[in-house]
Each structure stands twice: as structure tokens, then as C-alpha cells.
Amino acid sequence: MLFRSGTTNPQKFFCKVMDILEERTQNAIKMTYRGVGSSTGQLDFKNNHNHFGAGDIPFKTTNTKDGYVNVDYTTVNAATPFYHIPFQLGAIGIFHSVPDSAGKKVDLDGCVLAKIFSRQIKFWDHADIKKLNPTLSIPANTPIKVATRTSGSSSTSLTTQYLDLMAGASSSECANTWTLGSGSTITWPEGVEKVEGSSGMSGFLAANEWSIGYVDAGHGHEKKLKEVELKNKNGKWVTSKTADIAAGDNPVKTMPTDFSADWNGFNLMNAAGDETFPICTFSYMYIHKSMADSESARPLQAFATFVLSDEGQGMLSEFGFVKLSTGTLAKDRKSVV
């Protein structure tokens, strides 16, 4: 039996891989995966509740903002050294339910999004929104229904990281527009709707006109949600569908050369390029080095090898994800041999 838990985003992909391996193996094996969110997956991994974990965020050097004080790279790696293994590329999209009668698209930049999610902007007809969307027909004083994820969500971590980057104290463009920090769990202001999981987010957006939220882009498009167009670093308006997600995978950038090193400082956020998408991420497998000496080593290695194979990478598009670049895959495959 091989147990694993973590981010909900690749759950369907993982389940298909498991089914394939269980059918092909000569010896009976059983694999399970629980989609519980990246932070809970990290906590399970730290407490040795699973054989490996998965998340859309690397372990932080300190995780106090995420509500799990002891779930940090230094603590976990000191107890049992482990690897971060990127296995797919994905994006977090900002989705909305502005009625079609109001207009065909909604454009929002990082500054305006920060004001919306921090509740500084509460109505769709606010001047900042109208400036970016002059043709959008919005009834006066239409409230914005803001939806956020509950505890331990990587989509929260990535969205707030983006807002902090674009509108935090370090940004000269709109300094101090965002003061809530970043993390998989943050203290949201009053007036936001808190929903559980990706399905809770998509369900809320589908059921509530004039709402806005964030979710894994593949899930959002599967549920036929409408996506906000974001301004990327080169000033181009893009969605996760019109952008080239693969353009964000440049292993020459700041990727650690050692997969057992601290990945806390690495991200694919707001990369330069006309076709890049601002909120991109790797999804990672967290694998203990000591697994090589355990009875679960062979099925785990088979699973990781298949996920990183040409066949496995070729399946990712079925689930709304993007395969890794040749350079990243080459480094990955050396780490799981």
C-alpha cells in the first residue's frame, strides 16, 4: 500500500496514473491519494502520515503565517531529508460571475485586484474598475461578492503572493495597496465569503452573480467559469487560456540546482514576456530521501518515474495542466533514479 496526500489540483491526474500502474504491475499493489490541500499535505508529510506529499507551493523556511508553525523546510528536512520534485506546470486564475449582459470581458490589474480582495473596493461600478473597463455596463452600487478559500490552500498562497508582489509595500506602482501579507492561510477582512476547496469556490461563483474568486485554472475552465484578464509584466492582457503557461518554465532562472535544497525562494510569479501568465506555479512531489531504503521504494519510484515520463507528461493536458520543459524534466529524472 502506498499512501499520499496533498494539493487537490492534480488529484484526477494522480488517480489515473495509479490506475494505470495498478493494471500494469505484475505484483498486486494498492495506491491512494487524498486531496486535502497543499498545507495539510505538508503537515501529513511532516508527521509521516503518508509515503510522499504533493503541493503547489514549496515548503517555506518559516511557515508561521500559514498556521502550521512547525511545518517548515528547516524542521522537516532536519528530521528526515527530502526532495522537492516539480512534476507539472499550472496557473491560478481569477474568475468572476459578472453577467454576460454587462460585457464580454473583465480586465483587472494587480492594484485593483488587491483593493477588491482587501475590501477597499466593494462595488463593481467603482471608478478604478470602470477606468479599466470603459465598456462594461454595471448597475450602480452593485456589490462585489468576494470568495476566498479556507485553511491551507495553495491557491490562496499563490494569489496573495501575487497581490503582495504587485501591490505590497515593495511595489512602487501602487505601494501599500495590499497589506495583508501572503500565505496559504491569512486573516481576511470582514465581508468575504469563505469556501472549502476548489469545488466550493467554483460552486460559489456559479451560484452567485457579481462574485469574484480564485481557483486552479484547469478546474475553473472545466467548470466553464469566466476568467478575469490580468495584465502581465509586459503590460499585455492575458488569461490562463490565452497565455503561454509553458513560457514560465525557465530552469536557468533561480531554480535550485539541488532538489534536496531549500526551495523557499523559488517561484515562477510574474515572469517577463508578452505571452506569460502572472500567477504560475510548479506542482511538487515531496519525497523523503530515506524512501529508497523502505519497502515502499519500488512502487513510489515507479509512480514518480511514470509521472515524469513522456507518457505521464503527455497526459497532463487532459487535466488542464502543462508539461515541464526538457531542462526541468532532465533534472527531475536524475533525482528519482
Side-chain angles (χ1 to χ4, degrees):
M1 178 73 79
L2 199 63
F3 297 101
R4 51 185 68 78
S5 65
T7 172
T8 58
N9 293 340
Q11 185 167 3
K12 292 182 180 179
F13 168 61
F14 277 176
C15 289
K16 183 171 182 177
V17 172
M18 292 174 194
D19 287 343
I20 291 172
L21 291 176
E22 288 176 4
E23 289 175 1
R24 293 181 183 178
T25 185
Q26 293 181 351
N27 299 316
I29 59 172
K30 181 65 177 177
M31 302 180 175
T32 65
Y33 183 81
R34 295 187 307 122
V36 293
S38 292
S39 287
T40 301
Q42 288 184 344
L43 185 63
D44 286 348
F45 182 73
K46 178 252 183 182
N47 290 330
N48 294 313
H49 292 163
N50 52 26
H51 293 111
F52 86 85
D56 304 313
I57 48 177
F59 276 75
K60 291 188 175 182
T61 303
T62 175
N63 234 15
T64 53
K65 288 184 179 179
D66 287 355
Y68 301 120
V69 176
N70 293 320
V71 182
D72 64 87
Y73 170 80
T74 304
T75 302
V76 178
N77 194 62
T80 311
F82 72 100
Y83 296 105
H84 284 90
I85 308 291
F87 67 90
Q88 68 181 19
L89 271 165
I92 301 299
I94 309 297
F95 291 89
H96 69 89
S97 58
V98 172
D100 292 338
S101 58
K104 292 186 177 180
K105 65 173 186 170
V106 175
D107 293 342
L108 298 173
D109 61 22
C111 291
V112 173
L113 276 174
K115 292 178 183 178
I116 290 172
F117 279 99
S118 63
R119 304 298 287 156
Q120 296 172 55
I121 293 179
K122 297 183 179 181
F123 299 96
W124 279 105
D125 61 331
H126 189 279
D128 288 359
I129 297 177
K130 292 178 72 173
K131 181 178 179 181
L132 295 175
N133 301 272
T135 63
L136 202 61
S137 177
I138 306 170
N141 299 319
T142 301
I144 303 174
K145 302 171 186 176
V146 177
T148 64
R149 286 280 300 274
T150 52
S151 60
S153 163
S154 60
S155 57
T156 298
S157 180
L158 292 159
T159 301
T160 56
Q161 184 181 352
Y162 167 70
L163 295 176
D164 197 45
L165 175 67
M166 298 303 296
S170 62
S171 171
S172 59
E173 182 182 353
C174 49
N176 296 313
T177 302
W178 181 260
T179 59
L180 301 179
S182 63
S184 61
T185 301
I186 71 166
T187 302
W188 293 102
E190 291 185 7
V192 303
E193 184 75 22
K194 297 178 181 178
V195 299
E196 183 70 32
S198 298
S199 59
M201 179 64 75
S202 59
F204 181 86
L205 291 170
N208 292 272
E209 286 191 340
W210 302 104
S211 59
I212 191 169
Y214 52 84
V215 72
D216 160 57
H219 179 90
H221 293 302
E222 179 188 5
K223 298 300 182 181
K224 302 188 185 306
L225 300 177
K226 292 176 288 189
E227 189 175 1
V228 170
E229 291 200 10
L230 301 179
K231 184 185 287 187
N232 69 13
K233 191 167 186 176
N234 282 32
K236 306 297 184 181
W237 293 97
V238 292
T239 67
S240 60
K241 272 194 169 182
T242 62
D244 180 9
I245 303 301
D249 180 8
N250 182 356
V252 179
K253 289 174 61 179
T254 56
M255 181 185 293
T257 56
D258 181 358
F259 280 29
S260 64
D262 182 358
W263 281 63
N264 177 56
F266 177 78
N267 68 71
L268 302 172
M269 202 69 62
N270 203 40
D274 284 353
E275 297 182 339
T276 62
F277 189 71
I279 316 177
C280 286
T281 184
F282 282 142
S283 293
Y284 302 90
M285 292 182 282
Y286 314 129
I287 301 178
H288 287 301
K289 286 185 177 181
S290 59
M291 282 297 294
D293 303 319
S294 72
E295 63 180 15
S296 300
R298 291 185 68 183
L300 174 57
Q301 185 178 39
F303 178 84
T305 299
F306 186 93
V307 166
L308 299 173
S309 69
D310 290 341
E311 182 179 2
Q313 291 288 296
M315 289 163 44
L316 286 169
S317 60
E318 300 175 36
F319 304 96
F321 298 105
V322 176
K323 65 181 181 181
L324 300 177
S325 70
T326 302
T328 301
L329 276 172
K331 293 181 179 182
D332 273 345
R333 289 166 178 169
K334 288 181 180 179
S335 297
V336 299
V337 172

